[in-house]
Each structure stands twice: as structure tokens, then as C-alpha cells.
Amino acid sequence: MSLRQPVRRAKGEPVIGLINVVFLMLIFFLIAGTLAPAPGEGIALVDLGDTPLQPPPDVLVLTAEGRLLQGGAEIDAARYLATLTEPRVARILPDRQAQASTLVTLAAALTEGGAVRVVILGERGVR
């Protein structure tokens, strides 16, 4: 009587190690792709410092008191919409202290008045 010996299978390659390497390479290339190269040795970029920034002329400024200004002059939503060219994209620059309800009401009025899109502008970071 012959007994069969169990067939030994070759041990497979470890897949987890390969997955880890591929994942680390992916992270590396994502980070390396987002870093911008330096402008060059000895080059100093312009610093605006405390220069007061002027809003663009086609922006509707909402003050903390709820007044609407364009180019420094008081204006209402209907007259502001009349100054826009096609496509009529309304851009609002609200004061930090402006009431949110006033901003929502203004955006709704601009949309109802014919603005295709309403964009609210703000600072990227606090200095």
C-alpha cells in the first residue's frame, strides 16, 4: 500500500509589502508634485506689507452697516446689475462684520435680478 505524500505548494510572494511600497511611492509623488520650485537663488519676492488693497471696480462691497458700494459710491442692487456685462456674474465683497442675513438677502436679490452666478469674495488668510 502506498501512501501519498501531501503536495507541498510553493510559498507565495508577500503582497502586503508590495502594496506598502506602491502606497509610499504614490504619497511621495503627490507631495513632490505640489511643491513649487524656488524662484532662484538671490531673488527676493515683493512684499506688499501693509499696503491697503483696493477692490476691483466691478465688485459690490457690502459694508458692516449694510450699505452697498461700488467704486466708493453708494449703489443699489438693481443699478449694480445694470453695470455687469454678459455673463452677469455678481461679485460681492462683504465686510467681516456684515450680517449674514443681509448677505443672503442681497445674493437672492441679485439672482432674482438676473445674475447668472453670485460669487462671494474674501481673504485667503488673516495677517
Side-chain angles (χ1 to χ4, degrees):
M1 169 171 197
S2 75
L3 291 173
R4 288 179 132 189
Q5 294 287 334
V7 178
R8 291 189 178 195
R9 295 188 179 158
K11 192 172 185 180
E13 293 293 320
V15 178
I16 299 296
L18 183 61
I19 292 173
N20 287 341
V21 170
V22 171
F23 179 75
L24 290 174
M25 287 177 57
L26 175 67
I27 297 299
F28 170 77
F29 287 117
L30 284 173
I31 291 173
T34 58
L35 298 177
E41 194 169 322
I43 295 177
L45 300 177
V46 176
D47 181 20
L48 295 177
D50 294 332
T51 305
L53 299 177
Q54 293 293 99
D58 63 336
V59 169
L60 183 62
V61 177
L62 175 63
T63 66
E65 300 83 31
R67 295 183 311 136
L68 301 176
L69 305 173
Q70 183 184 22
E74 198 157 338
I75 194 169
D76 63 3
R79 285 190 314 173
Y80 170 72
L81 282 170
T83 65
L84 297 178
T85 59
E86 296 296 328
R88 297 174 78 183
V89 177
R91 300 185 331 159
I92 304 172
L93 182 64
D95 186 275
R96 194 176 299 228
Q97 302 299 322
Q99 296 290 321
S101 60
T102 306
L103 180 60
V104 170
T105 303
L106 174 60
L110 292 171
T111 303
E112 290 172 9
V116 178
R117 197 171 90 192
V118 176
V119 179
I120 299 173
L121 306 174
E123 281 183 317
R124 177 170 287 195
V126 180
R127 292 183 189 204

